[in-house]
Amino acid sequence: MQAISPSTPNNLKYLLGTRPSTNRVAPNRITVQCGYGLDSANFHTSVGSSRADWQSSCAILASKVVSQDQSSIDTTGSGANHVAAVNGHKTSITDLSIVPIGNSGGDNNRQLQPKPLTISDLSPSPMHGSPLRVAYQGAPGAYSEAAAGKAYPNCEAIPCDQFEVAFQAVELWISDRAVLPVENSLGGSIHRNYDLLLRHRLHIVGEVQLPVHHCLLALPGVRKEYLNRVISHPQALSQCEHTLTKLGLKVAREAVDDTAGAAEFVATKNLRDTAAIASARAAELYGLQVLADGIQDDPNNVTRFVMLAREPIIPRTDRPFKTSIVFAHDKGMSVLFKVLSAFAFRDISLTKIESRPHRNRPIRLVDDANVGTAKHFEYMFYVDFEASMAEVRAQNALAEVQEFTSFLRVLGSYPMDMTPWSPSSCSSADLH
């Protein structure tokens, strides 16, 4: 599976009308380019907020191209009744409004025009046994891929080279879900994803916690005495710092985009003086040997991931639920105590509170004729609490919070991860 990469345009009209060709190259391989910086507000107002509006708009755009060269469809010999399968749905070619790319015997000097996005690209939700498509950030073998497999067993994992591309993959119907990390027990919050949760209009529909088990990987036959450097994600390097020292490795440590990408880099470049910190699955995928197993400094290293979807799930009360919100206030942080009191009064436990600078209004100025102008940071507050939006106490708490805030948004109300806790079995590195 090829990773999804962003393109420079940030206009949805470009994506629908004049974007470069987006084709399914093979049944199990997708080549896609997502628009960079997609504005979720424009997404809803441009083509409609429902899936039917989205597909209808794409069909109209596709039909305009088809009408100009309808004969090229008939030349396939399939006729109008030819049936194609899209994720298990049997649909006629004319219903899908598939745009012909053109005849190979045409004018060689004629430049091919960009093909608009069609319903074949924005295929229906999988059914009839088709696997769920789940986007994640990183290369195959990344911990995010393992989290996607834990959240949705037997899913079709779609690697993305950036966090924002995973959001766009769900918004553009390229994938059905996205699984992205939001916090680590050692490294703290992944602030980039909190900012993207606010920028995009996806909903949190679940969470999964994944124990992190780091391995030191190298090419077959390489011994640790031959190593001059170790590469991995910055968090992985910091989480294994003391263990690497105990192993007697006097090596340079270089940061790369992700752990699995580091393993892939060592394998593809045939680097015999370089090791990577990644998962055991990455070693299997890229043909590397495990020099040391369980090299994380803390065995209780766990990352929390959230599952994102286009539509929210219906909250329930028959199992433990968690709700995530974000709010802000024009008068600064003085309202925080009142907001916390709304939850404390109703005996609702908070599991997380995170503040992020307000990107659109980072500074608040307060003029005082006697002492001058005071400058304060403005913040957005992200809060997770243990209650379902189906509970009256949670509804009343948010109704009170809304009175104190100038902005309030529910990011999702979803089941808590109640799987048994199983930290890494290795508290110290095992040499191989």
Short mmCIF file of all heavy atoms in Angstrom, two decimals, residues 243-272:
data_model
loop_
_atom_site.label_atom_id
_atom_site.label_comp_id
_atom_site.label_asym_id
_atom_site.label_seq_id
_atom_site.Cartn_x
_atom_site.Cartn_y
_atom_site.Cartn_z
N THR A 243 18.92 2.91 28.30
CA THR A 243 19.21 1.53 27.92
C THR A 243 20.31 1.47 26.87
O THR A 243 21.17 0.59 26.90
CB THR A 243 17.94 0.86 27.39
OG1 THR A 243 16.90 0.95 28.38
CG2 THR A 243 18.19 -0.61 27.07
N LEU A 244 20.30 2.39 25.93
CA LEU A 244 21.36 2.43 24.92
C LEU A 244 22.72 2.65 25.57
O LEU A 244 23.73 2.07 25.15
CB LEU A 244 21.06 3.53 23.89
CG LEU A 244 19.87 3.31 22.97
CD1 LEU A 244 19.68 4.52 22.06
CD2 LEU A 244 20.05 2.05 22.13
N THR A 245 22.76 3.47 26.61
CA THR A 245 24.01 3.71 27.32
C THR A 245 24.47 2.46 28.06
O THR A 245 25.66 2.11 28.06
CB THR A 245 23.85 4.87 28.31
OG1 THR A 245 23.43 6.05 27.61
CG2 THR A 245 25.15 5.16 29.04
N LYS A 246 23.49 1.74 28.67
CA LYS A 246 23.85 0.51 29.38
C LYS A 246 24.37 -0.57 28.43
O LYS A 246 25.17 -1.41 28.83
CB LYS A 246 22.62 -0.01 30.13
CG LYS A 246 22.19 0.84 31.30
CD LYS A 246 20.95 0.26 31.97
CE LYS A 246 20.49 1.14 33.13
NZ LYS A 246 19.25 0.60 33.76
N LEU A 247 23.92 -0.54 27.19
CA LEU A 247 24.38 -1.52 26.22
C LEU A 247 25.80 -1.22 25.73
O LEU A 247 26.38 -2.00 24.98
CB LEU A 247 23.44 -1.56 25.01
CG LEU A 247 22.04 -2.13 25.27
CD1 LEU A 247 21.17 -2.00 24.02
CD2 LEU A 247 22.13 -3.60 25.71
N GLY A 248 26.36 -0.09 26.16
CA GLY A 248 27.71 0.28 25.77
C GLY A 248 27.80 0.82 24.36
O GLY A 248 28.89 0.78 23.76
N LEU A 249 26.71 1.35 23.84
CA LEU A 249 26.70 1.88 22.48
C LEU A 249 27.13 3.33 22.48
O LEU A 249 26.41 4.21 22.99
CB LEU A 249 25.30 1.74 21.87
CG LEU A 249 24.78 0.31 21.69
CD1 LEU A 249 23.37 0.33 21.11
CD2 LEU A 249 25.71 -0.49 20.78
N LYS A 250 28.30 3.61 21.95
CA LYS A 250 28.76 4.99 21.80
C LYS A 250 28.48 5.42 20.36
O LYS A 250 29.36 5.41 19.50
CB LYS A 250 30.25 5.08 22.13
CG LYS A 250 30.58 4.68 23.56
CD LYS A 250 32.07 4.77 23.85
CE LYS A 250 32.37 4.38 25.28
NZ LYS A 250 33.84 4.45 25.58
N VAL A 251 27.23 5.77 20.12
CA VAL A 251 26.76 6.04 18.76
C VAL A 251 26.08 7.40 18.71
O VAL A 251 25.59 7.92 19.73
CB VAL A 251 25.77 4.95 18.29
CG1 VAL A 251 26.46 3.61 18.17
CG2 VAL A 251 24.58 4.85 19.24
N ALA A 252 26.07 7.96 17.50
CA ALA A 252 25.29 9.18 17.28
C ALA A 252 23.82 8.80 17.17
O ALA A 252 23.47 7.75 16.65
CB ALA A 252 25.76 9.87 16.01
N ARG A 253 22.97 9.68 17.67
CA ARG A 253 21.53 9.42 17.66
C ARG A 253 20.85 10.48 16.81
O ARG A 253 20.93 11.67 17.11
CB ARG A 253 20.99 9.41 19.10
CG ARG A 253 21.67 8.34 19.95
CD ARG A 253 21.45 8.49 21.43
NE ARG A 253 22.32 7.59 22.17
CZ ARG A 253 22.32 7.45 23.49
NH1 ARG A 253 21.48 8.17 24.22
NH2 ARG A 253 23.16 6.62 24.07
N GLU A 254 20.20 10.01 15.74
CA GLU A 254 19.59 10.92 14.77
C GLU A 254 18.09 10.67 14.71
O GLU A 254 17.65 9.52 14.69
CB GLU A 254 20.23 10.73 13.39
CG GLU A 254 21.71 11.04 13.34
CD GLU A 254 22.29 10.87 11.95
OE1 GLU A 254 21.49 10.72 10.99
OE2 GLU A 254 23.53 10.90 11.82
N ALA A 255 17.34 11.77 14.64
CA ALA A 255 15.88 11.70 14.62
C ALA A 255 15.36 11.65 13.19
O ALA A 255 15.87 12.34 12.31
CB ALA A 255 15.29 12.90 15.36
N VAL A 256 14.34 10.82 12.98
CA VAL A 256 13.63 10.74 11.70
C VAL A 256 12.13 10.84 11.98
O VAL A 256 11.71 11.01 13.13
CB VAL A 256 13.96 9.43 10.96
CG1 VAL A 256 15.42 9.40 10.56
CG2 VAL A 256 13.62 8.21 11.81
N ASP A 257 11.32 10.75 10.92
CA ASP A 257 9.89 11.02 11.06
C ASP A 257 9.15 9.98 11.88
O ASP A 257 8.25 10.32 12.65
CB ASP A 257 9.23 11.14 9.68
CG ASP A 257 9.67 12.40 8.96
OD1 ASP A 257 10.12 13.34 9.65
OD2 ASP A 257 9.57 12.45 7.72
N ASP A 258 9.47 8.69 11.73
CA ASP A 258 8.76 7.67 12.47
C ASP A 258 9.64 6.44 12.64
O ASP A 258 10.66 6.28 11.94
CB ASP A 258 7.44 7.29 11.79
CG ASP A 258 7.64 6.72 10.40
OD1 ASP A 258 7.72 7.50 9.44
OD2 ASP A 258 7.72 5.49 10.29
N THR A 259 9.25 5.56 13.56
CA THR A 259 10.07 4.40 13.90
C THR A 259 10.15 3.41 12.74
O THR A 259 11.23 2.93 12.40
CB THR A 259 9.49 3.70 15.14
OG1 THR A 259 8.11 3.36 14.89
CG2 THR A 259 9.57 4.61 16.36
N ALA A 260 9.02 3.08 12.14
CA ALA A 260 9.02 2.12 11.03
C ALA A 260 9.77 2.68 9.82
O ALA A 260 10.45 1.94 9.10
CB ALA A 260 7.59 1.76 10.64
N GLY A 261 9.67 3.99 9.61
CA GLY A 261 10.42 4.61 8.53
C GLY A 261 11.92 4.50 8.75
O GLY A 261 12.69 4.37 7.79
N ALA A 262 12.35 4.52 10.02
CA ALA A 262 13.77 4.34 10.31
C ALA A 262 14.22 2.93 9.94
O ALA A 262 15.30 2.74 9.35
CB ALA A 262 14.02 4.60 11.80
N ALA A 263 13.40 1.93 10.27
CA ALA A 263 13.74 0.55 9.91
C ALA A 263 13.78 0.37 8.40
O ALA A 263 14.69 -0.30 7.87
CB ALA A 263 12.73 -0.40 10.54
N GLU A 264 12.82 0.96 7.72
CA GLU A 264 12.80 0.87 6.26
C GLU A 264 14.03 1.53 5.64
O GLU A 264 14.61 1.03 4.67
CB GLU A 264 11.53 1.52 5.73
CG GLU A 264 11.36 1.44 4.22
CD GLU A 264 10.10 2.14 3.74
OE1 GLU A 264 9.60 3.01 4.48
OE2 GLU A 264 9.64 1.83 2.64
N PHE A 265 14.46 2.64 6.21
CA PHE A 265 15.62 3.37 5.69
C PHE A 265 16.88 2.53 5.82
O PHE A 265 17.70 2.45 4.90
CB PHE A 265 15.76 4.69 6.44
CG PHE A 265 16.89 5.55 5.95
CD1 PHE A 265 16.78 6.27 4.77
CD2 PHE A 265 18.07 5.66 6.68
CE1 PHE A 265 17.82 7.07 4.31
CE2 PHE A 265 19.11 6.46 6.24
CZ PHE A 265 18.99 7.16 5.05
N VAL A 266 17.07 1.87 6.97
CA VAL A 266 18.24 1.03 7.17
C VAL A 266 18.25 -0.12 6.17
O VAL A 266 19.30 -0.46 5.60
CB VAL A 266 18.27 0.50 8.62
CG1 VAL A 266 19.36 -0.56 8.78
CG2 VAL A 266 18.51 1.64 9.60
N ALA A 267 17.07 -0.71 5.93
CA ALA A 267 17.00 -1.87 5.04
C ALA A 267 17.21 -1.48 3.57
O ALA A 267 17.97 -2.13 2.86
CB ALA A 267 15.66 -2.56 5.21
N THR A 268 16.54 -0.41 3.12
CA THR A 268 16.61 -0.03 1.71
C THR A 268 17.98 0.54 1.34
O THR A 268 18.46 0.35 0.22
CB THR A 268 15.52 0.99 1.37
OG1 THR A 268 15.63 2.11 2.25
CG2 THR A 268 14.14 0.37 1.51
N LYS A 269 18.63 1.22 2.27
CA LYS A 269 19.95 1.81 2.01
C LYS A 269 21.09 0.86 2.35
O LYS A 269 22.26 1.20 2.13
CB LYS A 269 20.12 3.11 2.80
CG LYS A 269 19.09 4.18 2.47
CD LYS A 269 19.20 4.64 1.03
CE LYS A 269 18.23 5.78 0.73
NZ LYS A 269 18.32 6.23 -0.68
N ASN A 270 20.77 -0.33 2.88
CA ASN A 270 21.78 -1.33 3.23
C ASN A 270 22.86 -0.75 4.13
O ASN A 270 24.06 -0.89 3.90
CB ASN A 270 22.40 -1.92 1.95
CG ASN A 270 23.15 -3.21 2.21
OD1 ASN A 270 22.81 -3.97 3.13
ND2 ASN A 270 24.21 -3.46 1.44
N LEU A 271 22.42 -0.09 5.20
CA LEU A 271 23.33 0.59 6.12
C LEU A 271 23.80 -0.39 7.19
O LEU A 271 23.04 -0.76 8.09
CB LEU A 271 22.63 1.79 6.75
CG LEU A 271 22.08 2.84 5.79
CD1 LEU A 271 21.34 3.93 6.54
CD2 LEU A 271 23.23 3.44 4.97
N ARG A 272 25.04 -0.80 7.11
CA ARG A 272 25.57 -1.79 8.05
C ARG A 272 26.20 -1.14 9.29
O ARG A 272 26.63 -1.85 10.20
CB ARG A 272 26.61 -2.68 7.36
CG ARG A 272 26.08 -3.37 6.10
CD ARG A 272 27.00 -4.49 5.64
NE ARG A 272 27.04 -5.58 6.61
CZ ARG A 272 26.13 -6.56 6.67
NH1 ARG A 272 25.10 -6.56 5.83
NH2 ARG A 272 26.25 -7.52 7.58
#
